[in-house]
Amino acid sequence: MTIDPRHIHISDYQYDLPNERIAKFPVDRRDHSKLLIYRKGEIEENVFYHLPDYLPKGSLMVFNNTKVIQARMHFRKTAVTGEHTGALIEVFLLEPAEPADYEQMFQAMGHCAWYCLVGNLKKWKEGSLTRIIEVAGVQVEVTATRGPVHGTSHRIDFSWNGNVPFATIIDTMGELPIPPYLNRETQDSDKTTYQTVYSKIKGSVAAPTAGLHFTPEVLAELDAHGVDREELTLHVGAGTFKPVKSEEMQGHEMHTEYISVHRKTIAKLLRHDCQAIAVGTTSVRTLESLYYMGVKVKEQPDLPEDQLHVSQWEPYRELCRKEFCSKDALQALADWMDAHHLDILHASTQIIICPGYEYKIVRMLVTNFHQPQSTLLLLVSAFVGGDWRRIYDYALAHDFRFLSYGDSSLLIP
């Protein structure tokens, strides 16, 4: 029987997660976290640094190289006296508005705009907020001006003096946004532990946490085992923590996330028969979205880049059920990039992966243990043929640590 993912009840993906099982901090050595191995229905456990022993020689492992930005910015409202003693306002950067390109945004001088969540919004009814920071011994005044509503966020225009790029502004005054379920303040240690060792491209407001277990030593062991490695970029949005509040999945709207994939990455996927080991659910969402982008350009070779967006339910439509093999879809995407003289593909995705989804590219998955009733748990369930509860029962019974700073799993259906 074919599952209609829109009628999945999220209550079927509930499990009891005691607060003490949520890891508030990582283990001292990243690669000494526990590793659950689910292989063809059998479960065993090991330590993460033994991961390479379970991967086939000649396979391709794909990592998300996004870097978490210090997206929480705090301002104080100016009191009547002119002093900054008023209400504390938090401005949480979500995605660039002007310039819309991430790379250009972080290089912007003097002015830029973001779509942001605003904390204590009722205290900021009008006017601008200012804060003075010190950059290389020079005082810089940063001003935030509230603009129109944009979905659940607001456009916020930032302006500042001095020859300083916006990347330096947020590095100086911003705070790293650790997940809300950790129920603690950000600490200096998080600046290191909440980034993957291979993070490069700034843009995420949450870490691709499956990658937090990797160390240079584990990466070197992968190379020694003959595992090919490749990177892509998906900037993780705050929507990754958005709870499913609707009874059925058709009432839940997935957040949009922005991806960048090099032409050489698609070439490498083609050389590996379009099969990959994904590190984290963000890599899964990117890889699987590439298939549907390939289907689009196979149907419409003249499609412009800004229309390559993969919508939430697109994988379940009849067009995408046509018998396009993964190789045909990725080859079509490669040919389309060549025709448009693109070395890097910039696109976006809202893909939701639920039970009933047929994986096109990902064959093995490294991932942490996710929140109850979350879209990430649905993704895992789809990957293991619905056997998620047995995996999670084992993890709970064997002292595995959960969520962002928790332990890891290797899933092999």
Side-chain angles (χ1 to χ4, degrees):
M1 183 178 69
T2 303
I3 298 172
D4 185 341
R6 282 164 288 207
H7 297 308
I8 287 174
H9 288 259
I10 195 62
S11 57
D12 292 338
Y13 295 85
Q14 171 67 356
Y15 69 92
D16 183 28
L17 178 58
N19 186 58
E20 62 268 20
R21 303 306 294 276
I22 300 173
K24 301 296 191 292
F25 293 92
V27 293
D28 289 338
R29 295 175 66 180
R30 291 174 185 258
D31 57 10
H32 280 54
S33 54
K34 294 176 72 170
L35 177 68
L36 180 150
I37 303 95
Y38 173 88
R39 183 164 43 182
K40 299 179 181 177
E42 299 296 320
I43 298 174
E44 61 179 289
E45 60 181 275
N46 209 318
V47 183
F48 190 83
Y49 59 76
H50 285 300
L51 172 71
D53 298 338
Y54 294 93
L55 306 181
K57 183 177 181 179
S59 55
L60 174 65
M61 192 167 222
V62 179
F63 299 78
N64 181 7
N65 63 12
T66 188
K67 190 166 192 171
V68 185
I69 61 172
Q70 300 194 175
R72 292 186 188 276
M73 302 175 73
H74 293 98
F75 295 84
R76 282 215 178 264
K77 277 205 68 182
T78 305
V80 177
T81 60
E83 298 178 355
H84 293 307
T85 55
L88 183 68
I89 310 293
E90 179 178 281
V91 178
F92 189 110
L93 306 176
L94 289 181
E95 62 180 272
E98 182 188 334
D101 177 81
Y102 278 89
E103 188 173 347
Q104 293 176 20
M105 168 61 73
F106 294 119
Q107 295 171 359
M109 300 287 217
H111 172 265
C112 67
W114 283 73
Y115 298 120
C116 304
L117 297 175
V118 179
N120 212 3
L121 179 64
K122 63 178 182 284
K123 296 288 187 180
W124 186 16
K125 291 185 170 61
E126 58 185 18
S128 297
L129 307 174
T130 61
R131 180 172 164 185
I132 295 175
I133 60 174
E134 188 171 297
V135 179
V138 177
Q139 286 198 334
V140 176
E141 184 177 80
V142 182
T143 300
T145 304
R146 190 176 131 194
V149 174
H150 178 79
T152 58
S153 61
H154 283 78
R155 176 183 165 118
I156 306 294
D157 283 79
F158 297 98
S159 59
W160 62 96
N161 62 296
N163 190 29
V164 180
F166 190 66
T168 301
I169 297 294
I170 61 170
D171 284 347
T172 304
M173 70 177 285
E175 182 181 293
L176 201 75
I178 61 172
Y181 47 64
L182 294 185
N183 290 316
R184 64 172 176 82
E185 295 296 316
T186 301
Q187 301 192 7
D188 281 344
S189 61
D190 293 309
K191 292 180 181 179
T192 300
T193 58
Y194 198 59
Q195 301 279 14
T196 64
V197 296
Y198 48 81
S199 64
K200 297 179 180 68
I201 313 298
K202 290 183 176 182
S204 280
V205 300
T209 54
L212 296 179
H213 307 274
F214 287 86
T215 58
E217 292 78 12
V218 171
L219 296 176
E221 276 298 304
L222 289 171
D223 296 341
H225 276 69
V227 175
D228 201 356
R229 291 192 281 130
E230 188 62 25
E231 295 179 359
L232 41 73
T233 307
L234 179 144
H235 290 313
V236 188
T240 192
F241 301 119
K242 182 181 178 183
V244 179
K245 294 183 177 178
S246 58
E247 184 178 337
E248 291 189 338
M249 289 312 300
Q250 63 182 347
H252 180 76
E253 182 180 3
M254 288 292 287
H255 52 290
T256 297
E257 291 174 310
Y258 296 88
I259 66 177
S260 301
V261 180
H262 285 259
R263 172 66 176 80
K264 65 179 180 64
T265 302
I266 295 175
K268 187 172 280 191
L269 283 164
L270 285 163
R271 288 200 300 274
H272 284 269
D273 295 325
C274 302
Q275 296 187 15
I277 304 165
V279 177
T281 57
T282 58
S283 296
V284 170
R285 287 162 51 77
T286 306
L287 289 167
E288 294 297 309
S289 293
L290 290 177
Y291 171 85
Y292 298 100
M293 292 174 189
V295 171
K296 279 177 182 281
V297 298
K298 193 167 177 63
E299 293 276 318
Q300 304 174 66
D302 296 326
L303 199 69
E305 187 177 25
D306 62 4
Q307 292 185 29
L308 281 184
H309 174 77
V310 179
S311 62
Q312 179 165 333
W313 300 111
E314 197 159 327
Y316 308 93
R317 293 177 182 160
E318 285 306 313
L319 168 67
C320 295
R321 291 182 185 273
K322 289 186 178 180
E323 292 303 314
F324 291 130
C325 70
S326 301
K327 185 173 182 179
D328 287 347
L330 288 194
Q331 187 61 59
L333 188 57
D335 293 343
W336 178 89
M337 288 182 70
D338 292 342
H340 288 76
H341 309 290
L342 294 175
D343 289 327
I344 304 177
L345 172 68
H346 296 284
S348 60
T349 183
Q350 276 182 290
I351 191 171
I352 184 168
I353 297 179
C354 299
Y357 179 85
E358 181 184 335
Y359 279 82
K360 307 296 185 182
I361 294 171
V362 179
R363 295 295 180 262
M364 300 168 71
L365 171 60
V366 177
T367 189
N368 285 14
F369 298 95
H370 304 291
Q371 288 180 290
Q373 299 192 94
S374 64
T375 58
L376 301 181
L377 188 54
L378 291 176
L379 182 152
V380 168
S381 179
F383 194 68
V384 297
D387 204 16
W388 71 271
R389 194 175 292 279
R390 196 160 60 87
I391 295 168
Y392 276 58
D393 283 347
Y394 182 97
L396 287 164
H398 290 79
D399 297 322
F400 278 74
R401 302 156 76 248
F402 278 60
L403 307 187
S404 296
Y405 274 144
D407 294 316
S408 186
S409 65
L410 170 64
L411 306 179
I412 309 171

